[in-house]
Structure formats: structure tokens, C-alpha cells
Amino acid sequence: MTDSTNQRPVSTTGDEAATLPTTYTPADVEGELYERWVERGYFTADAKSDKPPYTIVIPPPNVTGSLHLGHAFEHTLIDALVRRKRMQGYEALWQPGMDHAGIATQNVVERELAKEGKSRHDLGREAFIERVWKWKAESGGQISGQMRRLGDGVDWSRERFTMDEGLSQAVQTIFKKLFDDELIYRAERIINWCPRCLTAISDIEVEYQDDDGELVSIRYGEGENSIVVATTRAETMLGDTAVAVHPEDERYKHLVGTEIELPLTGRRIPVVADTHVDPEFGTGAVKVTPAHDPNDFEIGQRHDLPNIAVMDEHAVITVHGPFLGLDRLEARSAIVAALRAEGRIVAEKRPYVHSVGHCSRCKTTIEPRLSMQWWVKVGPLAKAAGDAVRDGKVKIHPQEMEKRYFDWVDNLHDWCISRQLWWGHRIPVWYGPNGEVVCVGPDQQPPAGEGWHQDTDVLDTWFSSGLWPFSTLGWPEQTESLAKFYPNSVLVTGYDILFFWVARMMMFGLYAMDGTPPFHTIALHGMVRDQNGKKMSKSFGNVVNPLDWMDKYGSDALRFTLARGANPGVDVPIGEDWVQAARNFANKIWNATRFALMNGATVEGPLPAPEELTAADRWILSRLNSTVAEVDGLYEDYQFSKLSEALFHFAWDEVFDWYVELSKTTLAKGGPQADATRRVLGEVLDVTLRLLHPIVPFVTETLWTTLTGAESLVIADWPQDSGYRDAEAEAEIATLQQVVTEVRRFATAQGLKSGQRVPARLELDGTVLAVHEDAIRSLLRLTVPEEGFAATASLPVAGATVSLDLSGTIDVAAERKRLAKDLAAAEKEKAQTTAKLGNEAFLAKAPDEVVAKIKVRQEAAEADIARITAQLAGLPQG
């Protein structure tokens, strides 16, 4: 009835339970189990294997980093996918590694040097790089140990680092190929510049926040020929080379093509017409500073304007005059004061809150700056990346994220790839004494001789991480691993780096691997937030160290909590009470399995035929197979939250709360049927533990190996749906559950204590419940009535009647009052629905589905009236 394993063990007995402590303590098993898995090579992928490949790369964490909840969330999802595929018979590779994190790592080491009173320039480039490698060996990569704590099933034998020799060769190879194909070039453009880190930085390294600034309106020119422009960066006016207006703006048509004087400088600048200007915003005129603003640079290119840089790399004013040598913020105040003195300030607004970019590393305000940099011409690469998704070669999940992907790849600007750092992949270009430019591949010798020197810049970290899916497998060498494991099966990553990392991998993978995309599917998840949905931030004081929760509740509890919240592409709120609830679930799994072992649950031998089983046995096997099918479908759709919910409710509600309790009656009777139930109980736990293992690997491994005597769940077979369904047994147990649930609800309403025994008469004849009297009495703690039994309450439910003697246990008057209130509500509902259904005008206009819902409400009200009336009749009189 199920096809769960080919890893059949020896028989188990109740003695097996003795090997399990009475309570589950995660710390006692997790570390030892993980090291055993690694030592036995369970996570090691074999490129020579005949098994079909399944490959996922880890989004490489920064070598400077540590495990935060976002990592734990992402790793849990990836690990669940890989563990399941390994159990399904795939040669599964989860490729680990770390990113060298150029600017972040350099900053860390520079701070260490600063404590010694030194800078990197005191050491020189080579000595500084040696110092960074030393730091990496001693302090970097603590995240590896934390990944072990979480249970990540990665192939540690393949661990890579983006500055490894092999990956460096890959970087040099693709740079040379792009250069030769004229897809890499050097040009002067506007970039994000950090005056503190002294380097260009990528868009993802810019954090925008609302800052208090000032908006000043300045009059350029005189009289009718003057124009007012507004700016938050008055210091850049020293580099203005035009004023721009919209070509259709009637206010300024007479000025287009003329020149006006730029205040404080004596220079005359033209008035140009450009469609970029919004005539509805402000005065409809903008100052144009091509060397210090990306939009202004584009305007300058269109109108052949000069580029005048007014600041150096430290954001200090460089133009001659009274502002020379001032920091940009000092210059801003001084220039506004000078303009005010000349009567040029038309309006001032402060504070003026506006969005300002800051360096994510040092929090310095970034400066748009005209700079000579290396660029990737992304046009053809981005088109290929877009076409791969449009053509169906690559699927994005959830599909609604495709629009965001297309918005980016279809509108990509050329990518600035050079960084003014020392730590990173140095640009493989040499300059000669006579202006020669030579790009050197990995198998070439750089030019030698007097006057030759290598470019001092390094490549953007995203350049090397964009090669990750194939560089980690040995490319450019055509290795066995590359042939076996490329392309990756799926990429699991956050939607926040869809552009910054995913798009780059798509561009490079398609380019380097002859049009083969780096992965078949992109599965995007959201960000982890606190339990109130607020972004986790140190400034908010709501950042959680996942190690704290793992120490307190166990790694399984954290993993299950994260998976249970993972809806595709949606942010995940998480609170400690949810982790505590997941810990309780792990304890429930432990206690239920221990009970089964104590009562002889076994996985030995085939399952008995259906006719040899109780209805409860047939019911749980039917539900078991349905759950296997449901979970499989949800895994294939990356619906981690739904599959976790399905597993939770099946395991806790159906297996532990119902089947285990129902089995107690059968086991107590003994005989062949009890033996059959022991076999079913073992089967159900065997399969349930397999289904749970990818998400909660530690507790399931401990229990399953004890239950089955087999080697490890990591290499066990994934359960198969045999197709067995028993609708009759499911209906029968559903009826039993209805009776038990209704009586429990009634008992709770009466204030009966949990476990309190009550005399009861059960009228079950003529129903499917007749054979379940012992089970019903056991579940409800109902004793057999003695002579003189007098019912004080009677509950008709599911064709049966349960009569209870609650004398001395309930307040009859209070119960009569409660029932009378419920009856009045039910009668009111019936009257309202009957009136609507009797209104011809309403029926003529109302949609069919609305009428159908009202009919259902009417039927429910009638059923409630019958039930409550019977209950009232069953109460003692008086």
C-alpha cells in the first residue's frame, strides 16, 4: 500500500525505545550526527556516477560574514531540496563556497591596520594582499562552522573561494574573451564614488535613506533673461556647463540657444532644450553638471557639453577661487552664503528631506563622479539573458517575478566593473610606454620591459560571483564535474539580488557556455522580517542571531519555522514563539515514536492485506499516500510553506493525535489484529519521518535509525505514493472524529477538566461507529454506565447519541441558558436566510453562487436547531 524503502532492517521490538531518552535534547545529537554524515561521505557528489544530476550552488556568503537569519532561511530551503533529491536517487551536489567580498574585506583589514597606526599604503600592495590572506586564514569564513550547526548537506570536498587559483583563472579567461569580443572597454563615465573607501561601488552597495538637507533656488542671469533653478547640492554649481529646459516649455523658448552667466564664476553657459526635463517639476529648469550627476552626464553627451569636475577623490573642491580646498559640505554652506550675499537666492527650504545614497560599508554619502573606468557592454549579453526566460529555457518562480526580471535586463546600462581597491581580481590589462594596451589571458605572459605596467584596479566582486555556477566546477577546463553538474538544476536566492547576481550569472553563463543557461529554474524567496513584519536592522534593535535560537530550541526547530513561513517571493515574518512551537513539534515526533517503539511498532515484512486491517489502519495508510502525493507536488512547485503545513497537520493531527490514540485500543486487545496494527504503525512512522527529514534532519535521523535499524535517512529512499486510497475508511474515521470532537467541545463548554472520566451511554447501533465503541470511550474518557445511570445531557451527532451523566460536574441552569442563547442565534439565522430565499426580487438579481451560499447557511442553521433542541431536551428538568 506504500512503497517506502529498499533499506529494510532487522525487526525492532519494544526494547528499541530504551535506547531513546525520555526527552529529546537537540544538543546531545546534532553535532555528532552532522560530523558522522560528513565523515561517511553522504554529501559528497560523484561526477562519475550514473545517477541523474541535481545541482544547486550556495549563494556565496561574504568571507567577512556570519550566519544571520537570512542565510539560515535560504540554506534551509536549499538543504530541503537537495536532501529530498538525494533520497530520490539523484547524484545531488550542493556546491559550497565563499565570496572574497572585495570592499568589505579590505575595510576589515584596513581597520585592523589602523589599530596598529598603519595604513595599507605603509605596507604596499603585495604586503597588504599577504595580510588579507592571513586574515582570511585566521578569521574569515566563520560561517562554515555555522552552516554545520544548521545541518547544511553541502559537499565540503568541493568548497571554493572566489580568489582560488582555479576561479581566478576563470575570471581572467572570461575577461580576455569579453575584451577580444569588444564587450569590455574603458571609458570615462559617471559612477558611484565613495570618498572614504576611495573606490567606485556598485548600485547594490549604495543604501538610500532620507536625510535632512536644504533645497535652494538660485537665479542664473539677469532680468527677463534670468532662469531660476533649484538644487540640494549647491557645491556642484561650480561645475555647471548649461541650464536645461523642456523644448515645449513656452516660458523659456526665447532663451534656448542663448547664454547666461553662471553666478560666482564669471563663466557663461548655454540654455539647452532637452526632453529629459520635466516642465511640471519646480521651475521647469535644471542646472546641468555633467561631471557630477548621471542624468546631467547624459544631457551633456546629447548637447556636446564640457565636463568640469570640481571635486577630487576625497570630495574636496579643486577649482580655484575662494572655495578651493573645502570639503563638499563646507563648500555647500559657503557657496549658499556667497549667493545670498549677491542676492541670487530666491528661496530656501530647510530641512528638506530627500533620499540620499550612502556607502553600505562605511555609511559615507556617495558622490556621483566622472571617472575613467572599465565597463561591460551588456546589450547583447542582457538580450540573451532575457530571451532565455522568454523562450522557456529558464523558469522564474514565482512567475509574477518575471516582470521584475525583464524590467531590469531589458533596460540595463553598461556595467562598471573596475574598483579602486587592492583586494580582488586585478584587471589583466597592461599599458605600454607608447600608449599600448594589452589584455593578457591566463596562459599568456604579460609584456615585459621598461615602461610596462599593469592596471591598478581590481574587478567588481559581482564579476567573479557571476561565474559561480561553472567556475566552481572547473571551467575553463572541461572537467568531469562541469560535464556532469552544469547547468545547475535550480537557483534558490532572494528576490533582492535578482538583478545584481542572478542577471549577471545568466549573462555570463549563456556567454561562456555556448548558450546553455546556468540553471533551469530560478526560485525566488523573500526576506526574513521580525514577527511584526518589520525589516531586521541593528538600528531597530530587532536583529536575531540564529545561533541563539538553535542553542535554545535546536536546529530542527529553527529550520521548520523558516520553511513553514516560506511562501515563494514573499517576505517571511518570524518570532521566537514560532520557533518554540516548532520545538514542541519535534518533541511530539519524539514522544510518538518512542510510544510506538515501546509498543512493538515494526517495519519488518510486507504490510498486511487491507481485509486484515482495522478501519483506522486503512484510514491512516490512505491518508499517508495522499500526503506523499501532496508533498511531492508542493516540492516541485517550491511551496515550502504549504508542504510544511501539510506535513505538520498530517503528523501532529492525524498520526499522533488520532491514529496513535486509536491504535492503543487495538494494541491493548492483542492478537493478530494488534500485530497488523504494529506493522502499520511502523510503516506510518517510517514514511512520516522520511517525509519530514529534509526539513528537520536531526530528530528524524535519530528516530528513524532507531525504528528501522538502518544506516541513515540521508541515503534512504524517498517515499513513493502507491496509489492506495480507501474512501470508505476515510469516511468512517471522519464520522468517528466528528463524534469525538463534538463531545469534547461540549465537555469543554461545561468546564470539565481534561481527562475527567464521565459515565456515558453510547447508542451506536445502525452506524459505522458500532465497532468503535471502545475507541470512542478511550478517546473521550467515558466509563460504562452502572445500574441506575441517569443521563443529564444527550448529544445526537452523526446518527449516534451520546448520553452523559454530568450530575455534580456541570451547572445545569447555566448550560440551559447557554443552549437557549445558541438556539436563538440559530433560529435568527434560519429566519434571515428563509426570508432571503423567499424574496423573488432578490432571487432574480442575486448570482447563483450567492444563492447557493445562503442555502448552505439555512441548512446549517436547521441542523444547529435540531442539535441544540435535542441537547436541551436531554438536560435534567427543573
Side-chain angles (χ1 to χ4, degrees):
M1 284 177 248
T2 58
D3 179 10
S4 59
T5 183
N6 63 9
Q7 206 184 126
R8 282 299 180 202
V10 297
S11 176
T12 57
T13 68
D15 293 339
E16 298 296 334
T19 66
L20 293 173
T22 55
T23 58
Y24 176 53
T25 306
D28 291 345
V29 301
E30 290 180 349
E32 181 181 343
L33 269 185
Y34 186 83
E35 293 309 318
R36 185 188 309 160
W37 292 334
V38 173
E39 290 167 6
R40 293 181 178 178
Y42 294 157
F43 304 146
T44 303
D46 182 5
K48 299 180 184 296
S49 168
D50 292 332
K51 296 178 182 179
Y54 185 80
T55 315
I56 297 182
V57 295
I58 189 175
N62 288 353
V63 67
T64 58
S66 60
L67 189 71
H68 55 65
L69 270 182
H71 286 124
F73 173 56
E74 186 168 77
H75 290 200
T76 294
L77 305 188
I78 297 174
D79 197 40
L81 291 173
V82 174
R83 284 178 181 269
R84 172 174 173 264
K85 285 296 183 181
R86 188 180 289 117
M87 294 173 74
Q88 287 184 312
Y90 287 78
E91 192 62 39
L93 167 61
W94 184 8
Q95 172 68 55
M98 287 181 289
D99 191 283
H100 66 280
I103 192 169
T105 304
Q106 179 156 321
N107 280 347
V108 168
V109 178
E110 286 196 84
R111 284 196 295 270
E112 293 295 317
L113 284 174
K115 295 176 183 177
E116 304 170 13
K118 299 178 182 178
S119 74
R120 60 180 163 124
H121 300 286
D122 294 324
L123 271 66
R125 186 167 191 141
E126 290 188 10
F128 178 76
I129 296 301
E130 288 179 7
R131 180 69 176 258
V132 179
W133 278 109
K134 181 182 178 183
W135 174 88
K136 192 260 182 184
E138 295 175 353
S139 307
Q142 60 176 306
I143 201 168
S144 296
Q146 295 165 330
M147 287 168 62
R148 284 175 147 82
R149 281 291 312 277
L150 191 63
D152 288 0
V154 300
D155 185 348
W156 290 110
S157 69
R158 294 174 177 268
E159 186 175 12
R160 303 305 298 267
F161 181 55
T162 50
M163 289 285 285
D164 285 347
E165 182 178 349
L167 272 66
S168 295
Q169 184 182 31
V171 168
Q172 197 170 352
T173 298
I174 202 162
F175 187 100
K176 172 67 173 172
K177 179 174 171 60
L178 288 163
F179 183 89
D180 290 346
D181 288 345
E182 298 183 349
L183 293 173
I184 279 184
Y185 63 94
R186 193 167 184 246
E188 195 174 40
R189 300 278 181 83
I190 292 285
I191 45 88
N192 300 312
W193 181 265
C194 176
R196 186 269 174 215
C197 297
L198 298 181
T199 180
I201 61 177
S202 67
D203 290 339
I204 199 173
E205 292 166 322
V206 178
E207 293 181 347
Y208 287 90
Q209 65 186 48
D210 288 340
D211 285 358
D212 288 342
E214 61 179 349
L215 180 69
V216 293
S217 297
I218 310 167
R219 183 178 300 281
Y220 287 15
E222 304 294 340
E224 294 182 356
N225 293 332
S226 66
I227 294 180
V228 176
V229 299
T231 182
T232 58
R233 305 179 67 225
E235 69 278 10
T236 64
M237 69 163 291
L238 300 176
D240 286 359
T241 56
V243 171
V245 298
H246 193 277
E248 302 300 324
D249 194 331
E250 295 294 336
R251 295 170 295 178
Y252 303 116
K253 275 192 172 183
H254 67 290
L255 291 177
V256 174
T258 67
E259 290 186 343
I260 58 175
E261 184 172 315
L262 179 66
L264 304 182
T265 67
R267 283 194 291 113
R268 297 189 65 80
I269 59 177
V271 178
V272 300
D274 196 280
T275 55
H276 170 77
V277 180
D278 180 2
E280 303 298 324
F281 183 77
T283 64
V286 296
K287 57 191 286 299
V288 182
T289 321
H292 292 279
D293 183 274
N295 293 320
D296 291 3
F297 178 79
E298 297 296 332
I299 293 175
Q301 292 289 295
R302 288 192 289 271
H303 297 278
D304 197 27
L305 301 175
N307 302 316
I308 299 177
V310 299
M311 282 177 260
D312 65 13
E313 66 270 24
H314 297 281
V316 170
I317 301 298
T318 56
V319 292
H320 292 289
F323 312 112
L324 177 66
L326 294 181
D327 171 83
R328 56 183 166 170
L329 297 182
E330 297 172 334
R332 181 178 303 169
S333 298
I335 288 170
V336 170
L339 290 167
R340 190 183 299 114
E342 289 191 4
R344 293 284 177 179
I345 300 296
V346 175
E348 296 181 66
K349 183 178 181 180
R350 67 168 68 86
Y352 177 74
V353 179
H354 61 132
S355 182
V356 178
H358 297 259
C359 174
S360 63
R361 305 299 177 187
C362 67
K363 310 309 175 187
T364 302
T365 300
I366 64 107
E367 185 65 41
R369 183 170 187 252
L370 188 64
S371 178
M372 183 66 75
Q373 302 285 344
W374 284 95
W375 304 81
V376 171
K377 187 185 296 181
V378 299
L381 303 174
K383 182 180 184 303
D387 290 346
V389 175
R390 288 189 173 94
D391 296 345
K393 290 182 180 178
V394 178
K395 303 290 187 184
I396 293 180
H397 187 85
Q399 190 174 4
E400 54 264 28
M401 285 287 181
E402 282 186 3
K403 182 181 183 301
R404 182 180 296 196
Y405 176 78
F406 292 136
D407 285 345
W408 280 331
V409 297
D410 293 347
N411 297 285
L412 276 181
H413 297 292
D414 285 359
W415 170 22
C416 177
I417 56 172
S418 47
R419 300 291 180 265
Q420 290 64 55
L421 303 171
W422 287 356
W423 173 245
H425 297 282
R426 194 165 175 182
I427 289 175
V429 172
W430 270 255
Y431 304 104
N434 300 312
E436 302 95 333
V437 178
V438 177
C439 180
V440 177
D443 300 323
Q444 298 174 305
Q445 291 296 319
E450 186 177 349
W452 284 93
H453 64 280
Q454 186 177 358
D455 196 299
T456 57
D457 290 351
V458 300
L459 288 163
D460 178 12
T461 296
W462 296 104
F463 190 94
S464 52
S465 61
L467 314 180
W468 192 248
F470 52 93
S471 65
T472 52
L473 298 173
W475 187 89
E477 300 297 326
Q478 298 304 306
T479 64
E480 283 185 323
S481 291
L482 187 65
K484 178 74 173 179
F485 297 112
Y486 187 91
N488 292 183
S489 305
V490 60
L491 174 75
V492 179
T493 192
Y495 64 70
D496 59 322
I497 55 173
L498 179 58
F499 165 63
F500 300 104
W501 187 45
V502 179
R504 283 159 168 72
M505 286 191 289
M506 286 285 284
M507 290 191 295
F508 281 165
L510 290 160
Y511 174 74
M513 301 301 292
D514 299 321
T516 302
F519 20 72
H520 298 301
T521 301
I522 302 168
L524 299 170
H525 59 72
M527 304 296 103
V528 176
R529 296 180 178 271
D530 71 12
Q531 60 189 1
N532 299 313
K534 192 173 184 180
K535 179 181 178 181
M536 288 192 174
S537 167
K538 291 180 180 178
S539 61
F540 296 152
N542 61 352
V543 172
V544 174
N545 183 345
L547 291 176
D548 293 341
W549 282 352
M550 286 191 280
D551 288 342
K552 194 171 183 180
Y553 303 110
S555 299
D556 285 332
L558 178 62
R559 288 171 62 114
F560 190 77
T561 303
L562 293 167
R564 200 175 180 185
N567 288 301
V570 178
D571 289 348
V572 183
I574 183 173
E576 184 170 2
D577 54 336
W578 303 335
V579 187
Q580 185 174 358
R583 188 272 313 274
N584 295 342
F585 179 46
N587 289 343
K588 187 80 169 181
I589 301 170
W590 184 271
N591 293 334
T593 307
R594 195 168 183 278
F595 162 82
L597 290 169
M598 291 176 65
N599 286 275
T602 180
V603 295
E604 185 180 17
L607 283 168
E611 57 269 19
E612 299 174 30
L613 301 176
T614 66
D617 293 335
R618 299 196 309 276
W619 163 73
I620 199 63
L621 289 174
S622 180
R623 290 294 307 126
L624 180 66
N625 277 282
S626 294
T627 301
V628 170
E630 181 183 8
V631 168
D632 273 337
L634 292 170
Y635 259 117
E636 294 305 316
D637 199 34
Y638 306 99
Q639 297 282 356
F640 295 99
S641 177
K642 291 181 179 178
L643 73 88
S644 299
E645 283 294 315
L647 286 170
F648 174 84
H649 289 295
F650 173 71
W652 191 307
D653 298 344
E654 298 187 274
V655 178
F656 305 149
D657 277 358
W658 284 105
Y659 180 66
V660 167
E661 293 302 315
L662 288 169
S663 71
K664 290 178 180 178
T665 304
T666 307
L667 294 172
K669 292 179 180 178
Q673 201 158 62
D675 290 338
T677 292
R678 289 187 181 94
R679 178 65 188 88
V680 172
L681 184 57
E683 182 76 8
V684 170
L685 287 172
D686 173 12
V687 175
T688 301
L689 292 170
R690 290 170 189 265
L691 291 173
L692 286 165
H693 176 73
I695 297 176
V696 285
F698 294 109
V699 66
T700 53
E701 172 84 338
T702 304
L703 294 173
W704 187 83
T705 53
T706 304
L707 172 70
T708 66
E711 182 180 346
S712 174
L713 253 181
V714 180
I715 55 172
D717 288 341
W718 183 252
Q720 300 287 320
D721 171 19
S722 69
Y724 174 76
R725 302 291 188 276
D726 193 324
E728 184 178 335
E730 291 200 34
E732 185 172 328
I733 298 303
T735 302
L736 180 149
Q737 291 172 324
Q738 184 182 356
V739 171
V740 172
T741 301
E742 182 62 28
V743 175
R744 282 176 173 167
R745 187 198 68 80
F746 175 77
T748 299
Q750 299 310 309
L752 266 67
K753 296 178 181 178
S754 177
Q756 184 173 351
R757 295 191 173 276
V758 177
R761 180 175 61 245
L762 306 184
E763 298 174 33
L764 308 174
D765 292 344
T767 72
V768 295
L769 300 172
V771 297
H772 296 291
E773 179 169 350
D774 289 346
I776 292 172
R777 288 189 179 277
S778 175
L779 288 166
L780 292 172
R781 304 292 191 269
L782 302 179
T783 60
V784 176
E786 298 178 354
E787 187 176 349
F789 170 81
T792 60
S794 183
L795 283 78
V797 55
T801 302
V802 179
S803 300
L804 307 168
D805 179 5
L806 300 176
S807 56
T809 63
I810 66 169
D811 184 334
V812 176
E815 175 60 9
R816 188 178 298 280
K817 183 177 180 181
R818 184 187 70 81
L819 288 173
K821 182 179 179 181
D822 290 349
L823 181 61
E827 290 174 336
K828 181 180 179 181
E829 171 74 355
K830 181 185 176 182
Q832 290 177 340
T833 55
T834 301
K836 282 191 176 182
L837 294 173
N839 186 333
E840 294 297 334
F842 169 77
L843 294 176
K845 295 179 180 179
D848 291 344
E849 58 268 23
V850 173
V851 175
K853 287 180 180 179
I854 294 174
K855 287 181 179 179
V856 170
R857 287 171 52 196
Q858 183 188 55
E859 291 169 0
E862 290 172 343
D864 285 343
I865 290 169
R867 174 180 57 80
I868 297 168
T869 301
Q871 288 177 315
L872 280 167
L875 289 175
Q877 300 301 313

